[in-house]
Amino acid sequence: MATDAVAQLADSLAKTQVTEGELSYKGQGRKFDNMVKEIQEFKGLQALRLEGNTYGVEAAQAIAKALETKSEFKYCYWSDMFTGRLRSEIPPALNSLGAALMTAGARLTVLDLSDNAFGPDGVKGIEKLLKSTACHTLQELRLNNCGMGIGGGKILAAALTECYKQSSAQGTPLGLKVFIAGRNRLENDGATALAQAFQLMGSLEEVHVPQNGINHPGVTALATAMQHNPQLRVLNLNDNTFTKKGAIAMAQALKHLRSVQVINFGDCLVRSEGAIAIAEAVTEGLPILKELNLSFGEITGEAALLVAQSVEGKATLEKLDLNGTSAMRKYFCVIFVSPCSDDEGEPEDDDEDDEEEEDDYEEDDDVEEEDSSVNQVSSPPSVPRPPDAASFLCFPSPDKLLKLGTKRALLFEQQVDVADAGKTAEAFLKISSVYNEEDEDVKSAVLDSIDAILRKAFASPSFQGYNFVSSLLVMLGLLKSEDKVKPVRVVPGHLQALEYVVRQDYFPQDHIAVLEAFMSRHIQALESCSSARNILKSTLEQVRPEN
């Protein structure tokens, strides 16, 4: 009899795939009463696999009882273990299992509860466990596809924060490395709450939160948190909605990270301006990048070109995914095979729009004349109108610029909000529009004014230079924007002033490649300024930093 019992136990253990302290019932559909005995008799149990089964409250309580003596326990592989169960059964089942681990004095390394649709109430079922000493050593938390929602995300964030504080007080702060919570409907509030916990911990190496309905406020919060996790290697936010704001925030975060190897922002609507910002972050850093996914992000061909160029020098790169990008193939042709024809990749132009733009400028001129005549009537002849930078920026003219006098640079510094990259770009275009190479007084006034504004802007640590450049390209009609900005009519002065700016010490060299890429293409908006463009292009080639 004893021999038969030993044989049966040996056979049972063989079927449970035991390896180095691990007991696995993965997908076996075993009755829990037999399992309980095996768990109780297993010496040195460290890992228990319950995936692909279905356990009710009674079964969970019985398994929990068997775990109460397993002080060496570390690994909970408990995904998809409540198939077909009522949602109301899951929280008490999780409570029982968590209480057992706390009673045993276990120190967890992995907690995987993915694919259990337990919702916010399920998170409450593991709340006590997450706050306990059993999770002070937790390195991997996997909660993919659990339907936590905003409420569950907030509960989880609070529990992790409490765990970190308590473990820190004991001299062993929580060092969570892997966080997985895709398909949980976290949305902005849930993501923001978790971001605060992530920022506090600062130990994350992998973050996977795809398909969570997160928009730019939540993305921005996560971006800020990622800056405080210097060992981050994998960042997966696939199928959330960045838009330009979120993408620019994330690009700024990437500039602070050196260990990132995999970036998955596919289906995130990073848009062209966001892609350019990310391209600059890649160019500036991320030395060991292996994968970059910006697929289906509503990126134009020009922006895709810049992304592709940004990874050219990455020796470790294995995959660049720009699927769904406009004109992707021809831009890869430009980078990796041979030049494409000059007329490819032009933005869509509409002759009617061009005519409307010209009409707008004519209307502006009329308004300026009307404005001037009104001023002459309403102002006494003996009292000249004082210099006004705001008036110039509304209706630029060489005469108005000169009348601002020697203090014009100071007046512009006071008038232009250089903290706003878009407004700074707009002011640059307004001032440079009156540039005249043959009139030394006007030329000097333009360059002095631009110098004052841009030197002040780029001197600020918070100034987003890549946003300035992308805004400039949008306003010049060289790059499409999600904000439907109507471009100005490009005049030689714009490019001549820009040629001066790129030679100045305050202009960051990492923006040179972006400008050069656009000036190198034959775009209709620049055809009327071919001479100025060629000079700018030549200067960009000269000042371009060597790789």
Side-chain angles (χ1 to χ4, degrees):
M1 294 290 292
T3 303
D4 291 340
V6 172
Q8 287 178 355
L9 180 58
D11 181 60
S12 177
L13 292 177
K15 290 180 180 178
T16 57
Q17 305 167 28
V18 182
T19 57
E20 297 183 11
E22 177 182 294
L23 191 54
S24 176
Y25 299 99
K26 185 176 180 179
Q28 293 183 13
R30 297 280 298 281
K31 292 184 177 180
F32 73 85
D33 51 353
N34 292 334
M35 291 170 50
V36 169
K37 184 178 180 182
E38 291 167 2
I39 294 171
Q40 289 173 333
E41 295 177 353
F42 194 100
K43 302 296 184 182
L45 182 65
Q46 295 185 28
L48 179 61
R49 290 190 173 276
L50 300 176
E51 309 105 309
N53 291 286
T54 176
Y55 303 105
V57 176
E58 183 183 356
Q61 290 174 341
I63 294 170
K65 188 67 177 177
L67 289 173
E68 287 181 352
T69 59
K70 306 301 178 182
S71 60
E72 299 177 44
F73 195 75
K74 297 180 180 180
Y75 307 98
C76 301
Y77 298 111
W78 296 348
S79 64
D80 190 23
M81 59 179 282
F82 297 111
T83 304
R85 293 291 172 179
L86 294 175
R87 190 163 170 173
S88 59
E89 294 182 82
I90 301 177
L94 291 173
N95 264 318
S96 298
L97 292 166
L101 296 177
M102 290 185 279
T103 299
R107 294 293 184 269
L108 297 183
T109 299
V110 176
L111 177 58
D112 184 357
L113 289 167
S114 297
D115 301 313
N116 289 307
F118 48 52
D121 290 340
V123 184
K124 292 180 181 178
I126 58 171
E127 185 178 9
K128 290 181 180 178
L129 173 63
L130 289 172
K131 292 179 178 180
S132 73
T133 56
C135 285
H136 286 185
T137 53
L138 193 64
Q139 295 185 13
E140 297 184 18
L141 180 57
R142 302 172 181 267
L143 297 170
N144 199 59
N145 192 30
C146 289
M148 290 189 290
I150 295 172
K154 290 182 175 180
I155 295 169
L156 177 60
L160 290 174
T161 299
E162 183 64 23
C163 181
Y164 178 82
K165 290 180 178 179
Q166 290 188 14
S167 59
S168 296
Q170 295 180 19
T172 55
L174 172 64
L176 190 67
K177 295 181 179 180
V178 178
F179 180 85
I180 300 176
R183 301 181 65 187
N184 271 290
R185 306 193 315 276
L186 294 171
E187 300 183 17
N188 290 331
D189 289 347
T192 299
L194 285 167
Q196 294 172 351
F198 296 162
Q199 183 168 332
L200 188 65
M201 292 186 291
S203 57
L204 289 167
E205 297 180 9
E206 293 187 30
V207 175
H208 302 261
V209 285
Q211 295 183 321
N212 268 292
I214 306 171
N215 298 325
H216 73 81
V219 172
T220 299
L222 288 170
T224 300
M226 293 306 102
Q227 293 185 38
H228 297 270
N229 288 265
Q231 301 306 313
L232 189 69
R233 295 183 295 104
V234 179
L235 184 57
N236 176 10
L237 278 84
N238 187 280
D239 201 9
N240 289 290
T241 307
F242 283 38
T243 65
K244 178 182 72 174
K245 292 181 180 178
I248 288 175
M250 195 59 74
Q252 185 64 31
L254 291 173
K255 291 186 176 183
H256 296 269
L257 302 169
R258 303 287 296 175
S259 301
V260 173
Q261 299 178 24
V262 177
I263 298 172
N264 187 346
F265 297 159
D267 287 294
C268 284
L269 293 182
V270 297
R271 305 280 168 80
S272 296
E273 291 158 286
I276 290 174
I278 292 170
E280 289 200 2
V282 173
T283 300
E284 292 178 20
L286 305 179
I288 57 174
L289 185 66
K290 290 183 178 180
E291 295 184 18
L292 175 60
N293 183 353
L294 296 179
S295 61
F296 300 98
E298 293 192 2
I299 302 171
T300 62
E302 290 88 351
L305 169 62
L306 295 176
V307 173
Q309 286 178 331
S310 73
V311 301
E312 280 188 292
K314 305 297 180 183
T316 56
L317 191 75
E318 298 173 0
K319 178 182 179 182
L320 171 62
D321 191 346
L322 292 172
N323 278 312
T325 298
S326 171
M328 181 192 71
R329 285 187 181 178
K330 63 190 175 191
Y331 285 107
F332 270 88
C333 169
V334 170
I335 299 163
F336 299 115
V337 184
S338 62
C340 298
S341 60
D342 289 333
D343 61 346
E344 290 181 345
E346 295 180 10
E348 294 178 8
D349 289 298
D350 191 302
D351 293 339
E352 189 174 299
D353 289 343
D354 293 340
E355 291 174 5
E356 288 178 2
E357 289 173 22
E358 292 178 7
D359 291 342
D360 289 343
Y361 274 85
E362 290 171 4
E363 290 173 7
D364 287 349
D365 292 339
D366 293 340
V367 173
E368 182 180 348
E369 290 174 7
E370 292 172 9
D371 181 61
S372 176
S373 63
V374 169
N375 288 334
Q376 290 172 3
V377 171
S378 61
S379 302
S382 59
V383 182
R385 186 179 181 181
D388 186 353
S391 176
F392 170 84
L393 291 173
C394 287
F395 304 108
S397 72
D399 184 56
K400 282 185 179 179
L401 182 64
L402 293 176
K403 284 182 178 179
L404 290 176
T406 56
K407 293 184 178 180
R408 66 177 69 87
L410 178 60
L411 293 173
F412 282 124
E413 281 188 55
Q414 295 171 343
Q415 181 65 35
V416 178
D417 179 11
V418 295
D420 188 318
K423 291 180 180 178
T424 304
E426 184 178 5
F428 169 84
L429 293 176
K430 292 279 190 180
I431 298 170
S432 61
S433 68
V434 304
Y435 182 96
N436 187 341
E437 187 70 34
E438 297 179 358
D439 189 326
E440 286 298 326
D441 289 339
V442 173
K443 175 181 175 181
S444 178
V446 168
L447 298 183
D448 286 348
S449 301
I450 287 173
D451 250 344
I453 295 172
L454 295 188
R455 192 176 292 279
K456 180 180 178 182
F458 282 110
S460 172
S462 61
F463 185 69
Q464 297 179 327
Y466 50 81
N467 203 355
F468 167 79
V469 172
S470 64
S471 296
L472 206 60
L473 294 171
V474 167
M475 293 176 190
L476 288 172
L478 310 183
L479 178 66
K480 291 183 180 179
S481 169
E482 63 185 84
D483 297 327
K484 297 182 180 179
V485 176
K486 188 170 184 178
V488 302
R489 182 173 56 185
V490 183
V491 297
H494 292 143
L495 306 186
Q496 290 167 327
L498 189 56
E499 189 273 337
Y500 166 82
V501 167
V502 299
R503 291 188 278 110
Q504 306 310 304
D505 57 2
Y506 57 74
F507 190 81
Q509 289 193 324
D510 51 16
H511 299 330
I512 298 296
V514 176
L515 292 173
E516 187 178 4
F518 280 89
M519 291 302 129
S520 297
R521 302 201 58 76
H522 284 192
I523 299 175
Q524 187 174 344
L526 299 178
E527 287 184 357
S528 62
C529 311
S530 58
S531 177
R533 185 193 67 176
N534 290 337
I535 294 172
L536 173 56
K537 180 183 173 184
S538 176
T539 299
L540 289 168
E541 291 173 353
Q542 293 172 21
V543 300
R544 179 180 58 201
E546 295 295 330
N547 292 330

